[in-house]
Amino acid sequence: MSEKTALAVACEQLRIAAEKLNLQTELHEMLRHPKRSLVVSIMVRMDDGRIDVFRGCRVQHWDARGPFKGGIRYHPNVTLDEVTALAMWMTWKCAVVDIPYGGAKGGVCCNPKEMSRGELERLTRRYTSLLLDFIGPYRDVPAPDVYTDAQTMAWIMDTYSQFKGYSVPECVTGKPLSIGGSEGREEATSHGVVICAREAAKLLGLKLKNATVAVQGYGNVGWNAAKIAHDIGCKIVAVSDSVGGIHCPKGLNPYKIYEHKSKTGSVINYKGCINITNEELLKTRCDILIPAALENQITGTNAGEIKAKIVAEGANGPTTPEADKALQEKKIMLIPGILANSGGVTASYFEWVQNLTREHWTLEKVNNKLETKMVKAFNDVYKTAKQEESDMRTAALMLGVGRVAEAMKTLGLWP
Ligand code: GLU
């Protein structure tokens, strides 16, 4: 399956950018390591009365440009190495889209699909209590990621606030609207993905009307990406989730698939579609491929069989460096996750600003600001790619790593 760990991939990408940027060896060395990694054991009273111990962590990569920022993921395969890679990608992502944050990520090794709501709440609150001294509105601001959602963020906010003795909505983003969440945050990652795909399509002279789209993953990012792409006239020809996928060349209705998944637990077995594997989904004939699941999906082994014209990474790290090369040779335009999926953290930033200023913006205002930020970031990366005669991944990394390195140089090293 995997050719390399996510951390090996992230370090390889950093090496490529560092070389292109002629980065000082010392700065490169500093950026290769996270500033702080916290590992915790989370004791949870399960519904049957037993106490289970879960392993969790929070990795804070670098904060030269502002407080740490990044999601928390609940997944059975979470490892410290993986979370470290994800934290590093957050640092570059915030710099690429130019918001004043550093990068972090948290993870708990657990299987949320097999846990009750009560167990998840106790896990979240206990985990938050273990992170208390390390997170906060000016320190490190968590958000949702794989298998965590607005409700998880509500529990984090409540636990944090109970300890402080007053309400601190700005300690976390991706919250429900009723407690200070932002309009548009839930769809923001997917919105950004579709904006990037649209800008790429413009460059390639590809019309979005009836452009065919395949989406891997039907969680928050995948489902909303399918929905938004469908709403602007694209034809969704294949989708998948962790169980498997479905293919329908005539085009499918993402809203109906969402309903079907809510009822049956998966997108598979939908009338009029053929069931396919996740591997087959990636190789589907389509104009735009949106991997929106996990890392390490498009690899040296299958990249040669990708048929899309544009790959827009909704997930973090779905493509390995070997696959990058193969896609480049095939002249497939890849929009890297640190650009393509940066709409999520950008809307998180808008939420944080609203909380700090005690304001609530309209959906229109949030979406307009998101559009401006995403188009600017896309153009910045594209311009760098032209200047450097590089692919979009290398350009985005050069931009992100370059901005972080500049901030670190300016701050100097204490003491
Ligand atoms: N988990 C999301 C990401 O990977 C969002 C992070 C955030 O909003 O802080 O970008």
Side-chain angles (χ1 to χ4, degrees), residues 69-71 90 93 105 143-145 185 316 344-345 348:
K69 185 86 191 78
M90 283 309 302
K93 191 188 298 183
K105 199 73 144 207
D145 198 81
R185 171 62 184 86
N316 293 307
V345 73
S348 274

Side-chain angles (χ1 to χ4, degrees), residues 125-145:
R125 289 186 182 277
R126 182 85 185 188
Y127 174 59
T128 307
S129 78
L130 292 161
L131 298 187
L132 268 187
D133 292 337
F134 299 91
I135 58 174
Y138 300 106
R139 245 179 220 152
D140 180 357
V141 186
D145 198 81

